[in-house]
């Protein structure tokens, strides 16, 4: 009997506790209904900024960079994903005196009833807010009227690139956030105490990411000042790909053109074929290396390299023409001198002068011997100057950034 009584008491206690919990949940649910009826009622107008005592609304911004997906040299832009987090105070949404919620988390369908700063990204080409499975937006309301608003954005943004040192260059890409319609009299932007956060181990296949810095960029249009914040992302191009795919092959092609200097001066087909092959190969490779670049008017580092390599292989082909001419010039002069003899005495005219022939061939061989030293020395000297200049030189337009 005592056991039955204890079981009955325990059962009654559980039922009472369950009823209390249900009542608490129902009360909490009804309070939330009341919250929206009281706070977001007809008196609240989301079209009016929450200015307090005539002071502008202070919007505090923080960015969390998830990733930089791609950077395009041809279109001069970059694609980036990030969380855009904003915080401001709206006294009309303060509820500390009426409700005891620590915070209120709003649904996407309710966010449209709350005033939101008209922030836009100035250098945006195309962007979107993620919407799988629902729009990736978050809005929390706090008792003192603090509004926390966050969204996940992926966009393509323009980036002014300076390609004088390409592919040994460094670039600085920016993103600027500005108020579209409110002047600084109504709305101002300010960086959070921790303005920028980045995902750990953020990497790119063609660039290494350096410093990410923030700045203020307020701007005036027609005597009206608009608030603006910006970030600068420093990136250095990883040129290992270009060393393997561009520089080393073109270097070897130039060296291949020097093989002609060791071939016999009588090997005309072989030397012509080798010269034409290297010239055409360098032309094709030069076109391929510049195919993905914008048509800028200034000279890039890759242009200097390709033009010089093409000049060396073309000069090697011209060198053979000079050698060939020198090998035959004395013979042609001898043939012209024999022309009168051909009319009177053909046998005497057909007699060759071996000393003249040997001298002309020696002159041709001397040109080849000089070329064997001159061409490699000049090319290696060019390499020293090229790599020293383009590794150490900083363009003037980047010094001002």
């Amino acid at each position: 009997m005592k056991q039955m009584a204890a079981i009955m008491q325990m059962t009654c206690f559980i039922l009472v506790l369950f009823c209390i919990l249900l009542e608490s949940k129902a009360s909490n649910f009804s309070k939330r209904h009341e919250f929206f009826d009281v706070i977001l009622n007809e008196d609240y107008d989301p079209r009016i900024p929450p200015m307090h005592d005539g002071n502008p609304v202070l919007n505090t911004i923080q960015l969390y960079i998830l990733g930089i997906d791609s950077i395009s040299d041809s279109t001069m832009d970059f694609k980036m994903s990030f969380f855009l987090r904003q915080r401001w105070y709206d006294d009309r949404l303060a509820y500390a005196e009426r409700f005891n919620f620590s915070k209120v988390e709003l649904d996407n369908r309710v966010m449209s009833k709350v005033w939101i700063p008209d922030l836009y990204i100035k250098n945006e080409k195309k962007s979107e807010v993620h919407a799988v499975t629902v729009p990736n937006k978050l809005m929390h309301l706090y008792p003192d009227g603090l509004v926390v608003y966050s969204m996940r954005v992926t966009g393509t943004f323009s980036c002014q690139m300076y390609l004088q040192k390409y592919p040994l260059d460094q670039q600085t890409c920016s993103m600027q956030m500005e108020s579209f319609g409110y002047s600084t009299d109504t709305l101002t932007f300010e960086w959070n105490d921790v303005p920028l956060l980045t995902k750990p181990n953020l990497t790119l296949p063609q660039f290494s990411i350096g410093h990410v810095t923030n700045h203020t960029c307020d701007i005036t249009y027609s005597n009206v000042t608009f608030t603006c914040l910006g970030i600068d992302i420093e990136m250095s191009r990883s040129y290992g790909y270009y060393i393997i795919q561009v520089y080393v092959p073109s270097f070897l092609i130039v060296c291949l053109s020097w093989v002609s200097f060791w071939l016999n001066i009588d090997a005309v087909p072989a030397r012509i074929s080798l010269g034409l092959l290297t010239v055409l190969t360098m032309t094709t490779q030069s076109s391929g290396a510049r195919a993905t670049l914008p048509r800028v008017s200034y000279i890039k580092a890759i242009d200097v390299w390709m033009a010089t390599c093409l000049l060396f292989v073309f000069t090697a082909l011209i060198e053979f023409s000079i050698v060939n001419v020198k090998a035959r010039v004395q013979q042609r002069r001898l043939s012209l001198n024999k022309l009168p003899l051909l009319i009177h005495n053909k046998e005497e005219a057909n007699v060759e002068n071996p000393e003249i022939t040997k001298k002309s061939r020696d002159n041709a061989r001397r040109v080849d011997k000089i070329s064997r030293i001159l061409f490699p020395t000049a090319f290696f000297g060019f390499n020293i100057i090229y790599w020293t200049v383009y590794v150490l030189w900083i363009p003037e337009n980047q010094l001002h950034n």
Side-chain angles (χ1 to χ4, degrees), residues 227-241:
T227 185
C228 174
L229 297 178
I231 64 170
D232 294 326
I233 305 172
E234 296 179 2
M235 295 173 287
S236 298
R237 195 182 301 274
S238 302
Y239 49 81
Y241 168 83

Side-chain angles (χ1 to χ4, degrees), residues 10 21 40 85 88 120 127 198 212 229 292 295 306 315 317 342 348 359 389:
M10 182 62 70
L21 290 174
L40 297 177
R85 298 167 177 169
W88 68 91
Y120 82 104
S127 64
T198 58
V212 182
L229 297 178
T292 59
R295 293 179 174 86
M306 286 298 179
T315 308
L317 180 61
L342 289 173
E348 185 178 351
K359 182 179 179 181
V389 169

Side-chain angles (χ1 to χ4, degrees), residues 139-176:
M139 182 176 284
H140 292 171
L141 305 182
Y142 289 83
D144 57 353
L146 174 64
V147 182
V148 176
Y149 182 51
S150 177
M151 64 177 68
R152 183 186 174 198
V153 180
T154 295
T156 302
F157 310 99
S158 61
C159 175
Q160 181 61 49
M161 297 184 181
Y162 302 98
L163 302 173
Q164 288 93 338
K165 290 181 63 176
Y166 177 90
L168 310 173
D169 56 328
Q170 298 86 33
Q171 302 295 338
T172 300
C173 290
S174 303
M175 187 182 76
Q176 296 181 344

Side-chain angles (χ1 to χ4, degrees), residues 241-254:
Y241 168 83
Y242 299 93
I243 294 292
I244 297 172
Q245 298 293 329
V246 177
Y247 285 99
V248 171
S250 55
F251 183 91
L252 295 177
I253 291 171
V254 173

Side-chain angles (χ1 to χ4, degrees), residues 209-314:
I209 300 176
H211 297 292
V212 182
T213 57
N214 58 286
H215 62 274
T216 302
C217 52
D218 291 358
I219 190 168
T220 301
Y221 303 106
S222 302
N223 297 324
V224 179
T225 303
F226 294 87
T227 185
C228 174
L229 297 178
I231 64 170
D232 294 326
I233 305 172
E234 296 179 2
M235 295 173 287
S236 298
R237 195 182 301 274
S238 302
Y239 49 81
Y241 168 83
Y242 299 93
I243 294 292
I244 297 172
Q245 298 293 329
V246 177
Y247 285 99
V248 171
S250 55
F251 183 91
L252 295 177
I253 291 171
V254 173
C255 294
L256 179 63
S257 68
W258 302 336
V259 174
S260 172
F261 306 148
W262 274 267
L263 295 180
N264 192 292
I265 59 176
D266 295 325
V268 177
R271 296 187 69 162
I272 290 179
S273 299
L274 182 61
L276 290 176
L277 177 64
T278 53
V279 169
L280 293 176
T281 304
M282 275 305 309
T283 304
T284 303
Q285 189 179 30
S286 177
S287 301
R290 296 193 294 259
T292 59
L293 295 177
R295 293 179 174 86
V296 294
S297 58
Y298 50 81
I299 298 175
K300 303 178 289 295
I302 195 72
D303 297 332
V304 175
W305 175 266
M306 286 298 179
T308 305
C309 290
L310 182 59
L311 178 64
F312 268 92
V313 297
F314 181 75

Side-chain angles (χ1 to χ4, degrees), residues 199-214:
K199 184 179 179 181
N201 302 321
L202 188 63
T203 57
L204 281 170
Q206 293 188 27
F207 287 86
S208 57
I209 300 176
H211 297 292
V212 182
T213 57
N214 58 286

